[in-house]
Amino acid sequence: MRHAPDLVDPVINGAMGLDEAYDVARENKAKANSAEMQLARLREEDPQLADRVTEGDLSLQGAWAERRARVEEEKRQRRVATQLLCETLPSLAQVRGTRTFALYDPDLAPPGRAVTREVIEHAASALAEAASVWVERDLP
C-alpha cells in the first residue's frame, strides 16, 4: 500500500493480481530507496553537491556525473604529481655526495633552466614540505 497505493483498488476489485501488484510495489520501493541511498552516499562523499540536489539546483544524476568528473580529475592530478616526483627526487638523491654540484656550469644550462641560489632555496623548501607531508601521511 505504501509503495503502490494506486494499485490497491485494482487488486481489491480483482482487476490485478496481488503478485503483480507486489512486483510493481517492490520496484517502486527499490527506486525510492535507490534515490535516497544515492543521495545519502552523495552527502557523505560531497555534501555541497548533495545540498545542490536537495535545493533543486542539480539533479541527482547530474550531481553524480559531476562527482565522477571531480574524482577522475583528482586521480589525474595524483598521477601527474606522482610522476613528477618520481622523475625528480630520485635523480636529486643520486647526486648527493658526488661532485655534481661542484661541476655545475651555468654557461651550459639549458635556456630557462639555470640553477640559481633562488632555485636551490625553492627546491630546499619543496623538499622540506615533501618531508613534512610524508611524515603526516606516514609514508615510507
Side-chain angles (χ1 to χ4, degrees):
M1 287 176 55
R2 191 177 326 138
H3 297 287
D6 56 315
L7 300 181
V8 172
D9 286 338
V11 169
I12 291 173
N13 295 335
M16 177 181 269
L18 183 58
D19 288 340
E20 186 181 352
Y22 178 74
D23 289 342
V24 171
R26 191 169 25 150
E27 286 177 27
N28 291 348
K29 180 181 179 184
K31 287 177 187 174
N33 285 344
S34 177
E36 290 170 9
M37 289 172 50
Q38 285 183 25
L39 184 57
R41 192 171 125 226
L42 182 63
R43 187 158 305 287
E44 287 177 15
E45 292 184 25
D46 196 324
Q48 292 175 335
L49 280 178
D51 287 345
R52 289 179 58 198
V53 170
T54 55
E55 292 166 2
D57 295 337
L58 189 61
S59 70
L60 185 57
Q61 183 180 5
W64 277 110
E66 190 169 327
R67 176 72 181 140
R68 282 189 296 274
R70 287 180 185 178
V71 168
E72 286 304 311
E73 177 59 17
E74 289 171 8
K75 283 181 188 177
R76 187 195 68 75
Q77 288 179 4
R78 285 196 311 270
R79 277 193 299 272
V80 168
T82 299
Q83 184 174 352
L84 176 63
L85 292 175
C86 289
E87 289 174 358
T88 306
L89 293 181
S91 298
L92 183 58
Q94 287 177 353
V95 299
R96 191 187 99 199
T98 68
R99 294 189 55 233
T100 303
F101 299 117
L103 294 172
Y104 174 76
D105 185 341
D107 295 331
L108 300 175
R113 307 277 295 179
V115 176
T116 64
R117 287 183 190 143
E118 182 180 24
V119 169
I120 293 169
E121 288 171 8
H122 286 272
S125 176
L127 288 172
E129 186 178 327
S132 173
V133 170
W134 255 244
V135 168
E136 181 181 302
R137 292 183 56 202
D138 195 27
L139 295 173

